[in-house]
Amino acid sequence: VPPDLVLPKTDDHYTIPGGTAAATPPKLQDVPGGGKNILLSEPFDRCWLSVEQALDAAAILVDDKDRSKGLFYLKGGQQVAVHADEKACTVSANDGSGKSSDETGRTIDALYKSLSK
């Protein structure tokens, strides 16, 4: 900086907490008992929208949804659940009674592929 140039006063008002790095890509996790989950490091609002768009992109038909419970009810009886904590969301699928199966595993795989694009 030239000696006669005065720098403007800076303000951290618009600084993003935790740095400027973008949210990390989804992670696929194995769950004890043979199931799979997807971990998204975003707040619930973004996770909900991302999962909704991924279901649509994967051509997975949604029969109904309940955002307050974090549930998408799929055609054929499956449920996709979006659970949030302070820093991230976990996306899981079950057969409607809380159990994993080969079919719910395929749903999670299709969602993961859509979310990874």
Side-chain angles (χ1 to χ4, degrees):
V1 179
D4 60 334
L5 182 63
V6 177
L7 291 175
K9 184 178 176 184
T10 60
D11 185 358
D12 291 337
H13 183 72
Y14 296 105
T15 302
I16 299 171
T20 59
T24 58
K27 290 184 179 180
L28 191 61
Q29 299 178 320
D30 290 324
V31 177
K36 296 178 186 178
N37 287 341
I38 301 169
L39 181 65
L40 298 170
S41 56
E42 297 179 333
F44 179 80
D45 291 343
R46 288 187 185 193
C47 290
W48 180 262
L49 182 59
S50 295
V51 171
E52 187 171 33
Q53 291 172 343
L55 287 165
D56 187 45
I60 298 172
L61 300 175
V62 176
D63 193 31
D64 199 4
K65 55 189 169 186
D66 185 342
R67 191 175 188 282
S68 66
K69 293 180 181 177
L71 292 174
F72 291 93
Y73 300 96
L74 308 183
K75 297 268 186 194
Q78 288 187 55
Q79 295 176 357
V80 171
V82 180
H83 298 286
D85 64 19
E86 295 173 6
K87 298 180 183 178
C89 293
T90 303
V91 181
S92 60
N94 65 70
D95 63 3
S97 65
K99 295 181 182 177
S100 297
S101 66
D102 289 341
E103 190 174 345
T104 61
R106 286 190 293 274
T107 299
I108 287 294
D109 288 338
L111 271 175
Y112 179 71
K113 287 178 187 172
S114 286
L115 287 166
S116 297
K117 290 182 181 178

